[in-house]
Amino acid sequence: MAYIDTIPEITDVLVGANHVDVIHVDSFKPMREFIAAALSYMPGWMVALYKIRAVLVRLLGLRQGGYPGAERVKPEDVTFTPGDMGSFFKVRGGEEGRYWIAGATEKHLSGDLAVAVEPLPGGIQRYHMATIVHY
């Protein structure tokens, strides 16, 4: 069993998913700092792809209100309260030091980002980050 499967709140979001991708990152950063850095990460090639996407979604009659990572997220801005915004994601829930789930929905899909924290020896946190997509 993968660690992320041990968090019932995350497994609820996994039900019926069409695509799930999980990566693991070991870090000494506290959870809020780690999530803020992850939400703020935007390499140049991704900015270019989002600009191309903006043109394509307009042709399909969809809207794009900016792109993720356009604004830097500070650790104190990371919230665990359902309904609050975390970057361009709407927070579904979370518990500091344990998990965080947030998502975005468009006409054709919904996507969620889930982060589960696995404490390791020596003060290391293993962050399990899942991208969960429902078409």
Side-chain angles (χ1 to χ4, degrees), residues 44-56:
W45 63 267
M46 253 178 125
V47 171
L49 287 177
Y50 268 99
K51 288 179 180 180
I52 293 168
R53 180 185 185 274
V55 173
L56 295 175

Side-chain angles (χ1 to χ4, degrees), residues 73-92:
V73 177
K74 299 178 197 126
E76 57 270 17
D77 296 333
V78 175
T79 175
F80 294 86
T81 305
D84 284 357
M85 296 304 289
S87 183
F88 70 99
F89 290 111
K90 183 179 279 190
V91 176
R92 292 185 184 265

Side-chain angles (χ1 to χ4, degrees), residues 13-62:
V13 179
L14 291 169
V15 173
N18 298 101
H19 176 80
V20 176
D21 186 40
V22 181
I23 63 167
H24 314 280
V25 178
D26 292 349
S27 177
F28 287 102
K29 289 183 179 185
M31 187 176 189
R32 285 178 189 266
E33 196 174 312
F34 180 84
I35 292 171
L39 292 174
S40 297
Y41 179 70
M42 181 63 66
W45 63 267
M46 253 178 125
V47 171
L49 287 177
Y50 268 99
K51 288 179 180 180
I52 293 168
R53 180 185 185 274
V55 173
L56 295 175
V57 296
R58 272 191 236 117
L59 293 173
L60 294 172
L62 301 171

Side-chain angles (χ1 to χ4, degrees), residues 7 9-10 13 90-94 99-103 112-115:
I7 310 291
E9 294 86 354
I10 294 176
V13 179
K90 183 179 279 190
V91 176
R92 292 185 184 265
Y99 78 95
W100 183 80
I101 306 168
D112 291 287
L113 175 62
V115 179

